[in-house]
Amino acid sequence: FASPADGTVYKLAGDAWQPAATLATARHVHRVVPLAGGKLLAIAGAAKGGSTAAVEVVTPGTAATAKPAGGR
């Protein structure tokens, strides 16, 4: 998975990148970590206006996002 600053999360499918999900907080210089059940965890990074400590869980194939307790 890869996620540029526009908030789109891409998945490599064969030899092409395809949109897989959308983060509620667009960011760059962050980490996207796979979780059990096929979900992804987006951690911190830099967002418009400065850094963000926001943590999000996204499910590839949907635009829906969920912020765990303590997320901003």
Side-chain angles (χ1 to χ4, degrees):
F1 291 93
S3 176
D6 70 358
T8 304
V9 178
Y10 292 90
K11 178 179 182 178
L12 186 59
D15 62 352
W17 290 96
Q18 298 181 348
T22 303
L23 300 175
T25 303
R27 61 187 85 199
H28 60 281
V29 193
H30 61 288
R31 298 281 186 246
V32 177
V33 179
L35 298 174
K39 295 184 179 190
L40 302 171
L41 179 68
I43 305 168
K48 196 173 203 174
S51 63
T52 180
V55 176
E56 297 178 47
V57 176
V58 295
T59 302
T62 70
T65 62
K67 293 184 181 182
R72 294 182 187 163

